[in-house]
Amino acid sequence: MLKKSDPVERILLRNNKLTEKTLGEIKSNQLQTGHYLGKTLVDHGYINANVLLETLSKELSLPFLSFEDFPKSQLPIKEISISETFLKEKTVFPVHLKDNTLTLAVFDPFDLHTIENLKVSLGKNIKIFLSTEQTIIEAIETYYGEGKSTMGRMVGSIKEDEKNITDTDLDTDHIRDMASEAPVIKLVNHIISKATEMGASDIHLEPFAEDLILRYRIDGILHNFEAPPKRLNSALCTRIKIMAELDISERRLPQDGRIKLQVQGKDIDMRVSTLPTLYGESVVIRILDRSNLNVDLEKMGFPKQELKNFQKLIQKPYGKILVTGPTGSGKTTTLYGALQNINTPDKKIITIEDPVEYQIRGINQIHVKPQIGLDFASGLRSIVRQDPDVIMVGEIRDAPTADVAIQAALTGHLVFSTVHTNDAAGAITRLLDMGVENYLISSALIGVLAQRLVRVICRTCIEPVKISSALKVQIENPDQDNLKAFHGKGCKECNNTGFRGRSGIYELLVVDDTIRQLILTKSTSQLIRESARKKGMATLREDGWKKVSKGITTVEEVLRVTVNEQT
């Protein structure tokens, strides 16, 4: 069936899924200790189980089954006498029995001894499929008895003698030992892998008096998931700190770090933040998945006219362009999209960010470090001396940064930045409030883009829906009676949320002569807004209603993200 001369390490090395350096680390640290190498690699986070088995599946021409692929009925459990203990010990599961051929799901396809023993003892021909250890154990638990969850099984594998130990009982050495054990490593890897699989942007691990809460932020909304017991908080935090190269002995001060990991075949950067709270350390992991970074302006949800106008602005040789919105509204992604659009060999582009979330080839990116005096204002002054054509300032937070950015725009540079305001017109008054002179703003500013992110209705379970009377009152749309609306009823594809992915809604204010005159007279944001609307500017909500009618998002989503807006 399989050749012993084709071991797993050779297959992984040949397919660039494993390096000689990693093999050396495993041998020098004596991690394998007689176990199947594939299991060692997965348990210690060197490779994702799905990547391992997908590679073996391709090389060995063996089908790869996920839990969803297992038949839900007519399993050959009663027709064959294999104990649950044996199945768990050997990590195999009987999937199908036809005529005299038994199909087994296995994690280790090189365990020929077990396969041959089953063939002889059962008197059956054996056909094997590949499946992850987690999937096989889950199937055994589901179809043979206890029905424990994946989290429950992993927690159960952690030493019984830790159950009655509290966080305060554990010294640093003991916590380090716990965090270095395979069950804790597997538990952390499972939490990260599950978050990536579900498309989460953040993982929140929060300790409280009686329990530990695990939440994933998916499409901008936090969702609770099954969490480990509170007693494991210190071990989990320590494991995450080790991965992020943080000080595990420091539990009184906040710390920040980064993790680079390959999850499900994708390179993932993670930003880690720890915060000491009343009941232990809270950990938040921001997942920066490069494969999910959409920096194509045409795929961000821009209406045609707004996209055309915005592309005209970013092609200008100098001036200042602001993107505004609350935290998490996609401002940085839009700026990356703009920079990518104009990133040509004839332009030198420099950014200063806090932090640098994604690295873009051909663009010089600077990470601010306030502790050594490298803040936005000082960094920007140095950037100007580097002869750039385009500058991006992550955020304008104070008057010195605003002044230097304005001066750079006035001296022949195209400057991008962000501010936190509710709408496009509000960005102008925010600069005035910071103390920037009105004539400088009028001369330098060429456009302001306000944006929000709305969740996109799942395409699998989308269906029309009637707008309730209560919502009609809030919509304040002249054409609300003819407004078509849709929602997602919830399905497996969207984890029963009704949504999958996010799209932007936009409000683009182009600074023309009329707007410049209003800036010079220090007019209110309301007057600036009304003038821009007379010239065709669509507001955030107006763009939102268009996306509702097209079945992209829901009425509730538009109202949620534009709660303080007026049409």
Side-chain angles (χ1 to χ4, degrees):
M1 188 181 300
L2 295 171
K3 295 180 180 178
K4 290 186 179 180
S5 60
D6 201 8
V8 64
E9 59 264 29
R10 290 184 184 174
I11 294 174
L12 296 177
L13 287 169
R14 187 161 59 243
N15 286 273
N16 297 317
K17 304 298 182 184
L18 183 66
T19 64
E20 293 286 359
K21 181 182 177 183
T22 297
L23 279 174
E25 286 179 12
I26 290 169
K27 290 175 183 176
S28 63
N29 293 322
Q30 297 182 334
L31 297 178
Q32 195 170 353
T33 60
H35 292 300
Y36 168 46
L37 177 60
K39 177 175 171 58
T40 301
L41 292 169
V42 171
D43 286 351
H44 290 274
Y46 288 107
I47 192 171
N48 179 266
N50 288 328
V51 175
L52 168 69
L53 293 186
E54 283 167 3
T55 306
L56 295 180
S57 173
K58 183 179 178 182
E59 284 279 332
L60 304 172
S61 299
L62 295 174
F64 174 37
L65 295 181
S66 66
F67 186 74
E68 290 73 20
D69 297 325
F70 281 27
K72 299 298 183 287
S73 60
Q74 298 182 335
L75 288 164
I77 295 172
K78 295 180 180 178
E79 292 128 25
I80 57 172
S81 55
I82 309 178
S83 71
E84 180 182 349
T85 303
F86 179 85
L87 294 177
K88 285 183 177 179
E89 181 185 343
K90 301 300 182 182
T91 322
V92 298
F93 184 77
V95 175
H96 185 62
L97 178 62
K98 185 176 181 181
D99 298 329
N100 201 43
T101 300
L102 175 66
T103 301
L104 282 179
V106 305
F107 176 51
D108 178 5
F110 301 98
D111 186 3
L112 301 180
H113 181 71
T114 296
I115 294 169
E116 290 299 323
N117 278 351
L118 285 172
K119 182 178 179 180
V120 173
S121 62
L122 297 174
K124 308 286 185 186
N125 294 318
I126 304 292
K127 180 181 179 182
I128 66 172
F129 286 178
L130 297 176
S131 197
T132 66
E133 181 183 28
Q134 176 185 322
T135 297
I136 292 171
I137 297 298
E138 189 169 346
I140 295 169
E141 296 286 359
T142 301
Y143 296 112
Y144 272 80
E146 296 179 11
K148 286 184 182 178
S149 66
T150 302
M151 183 69 76
R153 289 193 304 276
M154 288 186 170
V155 169
S157 68
I158 296 175
K159 292 189 302 183
E160 288 292 318
D161 61 1
E162 305 294 351
K163 282 189 175 180
N164 298 315
I165 300 176
T166 64
D167 285 354
T168 54
D169 295 327
L170 302 177
D171 60 26
T172 300
D173 290 337
H174 193 109
I175 295 172
R176 188 198 303 272
D177 291 342
M178 280 185 66
S180 300
E181 292 178 355
V184 173
I185 293 170
K186 288 175 68 174
L187 189 51
V188 171
N189 289 347
H190 170 72
I191 289 170
I192 293 172
S193 180
K194 190 69 175 176
T196 307
E197 179 186 318
M198 301 189 74
S201 61
D202 299 87
I203 302 169
H204 292 247
L205 204 58
E206 305 162 306
F208 291 92
E210 301 297 331
D211 57 2
L212 188 63
I213 292 178
L214 173 65
R215 298 194 286 175
Y216 295 154
R217 187 177 295 280
I218 302 170
D219 294 332
I221 304 296
L222 282 170
H223 299 271
N224 279 342
F225 287 85
E226 183 185 7
K230 172 76 161 49
R231 64 186 169 82
L232 295 179
N233 185 47
S234 288
L236 294 173
C237 286
T238 301
R239 174 59 191 164
I240 293 168
K241 284 181 177 180
I242 290 171
M243 294 170 73
E245 299 181 352
L246 299 177
D247 182 358
I248 66 169
S249 64
E250 181 55 78
R251 295 180 237 163
R252 301 165 301 167
L253 295 173
Q255 295 189 71
D256 296 296
R258 293 183 84 102
I259 299 172
K260 287 189 176 182
L261 207 61
Q262 190 173 79
V263 180
Q264 298 177 356
K266 298 182 290 187
D267 291 325
I268 305 292
D269 284 344
M270 287 171 279
R271 203 169 72 228
V272 177
S273 171
T274 68
L275 185 71
T277 69
L278 191 60
Y279 299 107
E281 285 185 284
S282 171
V283 177
V284 174
I285 302 174
R286 167 65 57 87
I287 299 172
L288 307 171
D289 184 355
R290 293 178 195 149
S291 65
N292 284 338
L293 177 62
N294 180 8
V295 294
D296 187 343
L297 291 175
E298 295 185 359
K299 296 180 180 178
M300 292 182 183
F302 273 96
K304 287 184 178 179
Q305 190 56 48
E306 276 73 8
L307 177 60
K308 184 178 178 181
N309 291 339
F310 188 63
Q311 287 177 326
K312 282 183 180 177
L313 289 177
I314 66 177
Q315 294 294 338
K316 290 185 178 292
Y318 56 85
K320 184 167 180 58
I321 298 172
L322 291 174
V323 180
T324 181
T327 301
S329 60
K331 301 186 298 295
T332 302
T333 303
T334 298
L335 289 178
Y336 281 155
L339 294 179
Q340 194 81 294
N341 194 280
I342 59 176
N343 185 14
T344 54
D346 62 322
K347 289 188 176 72
K348 178 161 184 174
I349 303 174
I350 305 179
T351 74
I352 181 163
E353 308 169 54
D354 182 20
V356 175
E357 294 195 355
Y358 295 99
Q359 294 155 22
I360 303 176
R361 181 177 174 81
I363 295 178
N364 300 277
Q365 295 171 273
I366 302 170
H367 187 128
V368 300
K369 296 177 182 176
Q371 64 270 27
I372 61 170
L374 179 59
D375 54 19
F376 282 120
S378 61
L380 189 51
R381 291 187 189 95
S382 299
I383 287 172
V384 173
R385 294 193 286 271
Q386 286 281 308
D387 188 32
D389 298 289
V390 181
I391 301 170
M392 186 189 100
V393 184
E395 183 183 345
I396 291 181
R397 299 174 179 171
D398 49 38
T401 308
D403 283 333
V404 180
I406 290 284
Q407 291 296 334
L410 290 172
T411 53
H413 304 89
L414 183 62
V415 180
F416 295 93
S417 192
T418 70
V419 289
H420 290 278
T421 60
N422 288 332
D423 60 5
I428 296 170
T429 54
R430 175 61 57 85
L431 291 177
L432 289 169
D433 291 342
M434 285 183 183
V436 182
E437 295 293 344
N438 55 342
Y439 65 90
L440 294 176
I441 299 172
S442 173
S443 301
L445 194 64
I446 58 175
V448 183
L449 178 73
Q451 70 176 71
R452 301 288 188 276
L453 290 176
V454 292
R455 290 183 289 172
V456 174
I457 300 171
C458 174
R459 308 329 289 172
T460 304
C461 61
I462 186 173
E463 62 180 15
V465 67
K466 289 185 178 180
I467 303 174
S468 66
S469 300
L471 287 178
K472 282 185 177 180
V473 173
Q474 297 182 63
I475 288 175
E476 301 170 352
N477 186 346
D479 197 29
Q480 63 185 19
D481 292 331
N482 298 319
L483 185 65
K484 294 179 182 178
F486 302 83
H487 79 157
K489 63 181 179 180
C491 67
K492 177 183 170 183
E493 294 295 321
C494 60
N495 296 306
N496 292 311
T497 63
F499 298 97
R500 196 173 183 187
R502 288 191 289 178
S503 179
I505 59 174
Y506 301 93
E507 174 181 301
L508 179 61
L509 187 155
V510 178
V511 178
D512 57 13
D513 290 340
T514 305
I515 300 298
R516 287 193 182 90
Q517 191 58 42
L518 290 172
I519 295 172
L520 286 172
T521 58
K522 295 187 178 180
S523 300
T524 63
S525 60
Q526 185 63 30
L527 284 174
I528 295 171
R529 180 186 177 92
E530 288 173 1
S531 176
R533 290 196 65 193
K534 286 177 183 177
K535 296 200 172 187
M537 183 186 80
T539 65
L540 287 165
R541 278 201 173 174
E542 286 168 347
D543 185 25
W545 301 141
K546 290 176 185 175
K547 288 180 169 63
V548 167
S549 294
K550 291 177 181 177
I552 295 172
T553 191
T554 65
V555 172
E556 292 86 349
E557 273 296 287
V558 174
L559 291 172
R560 178 180 69 85
V561 301
T562 62
V563 66
N564 292 321
E565 306 300 330
Q566 298 177 352
T567 55

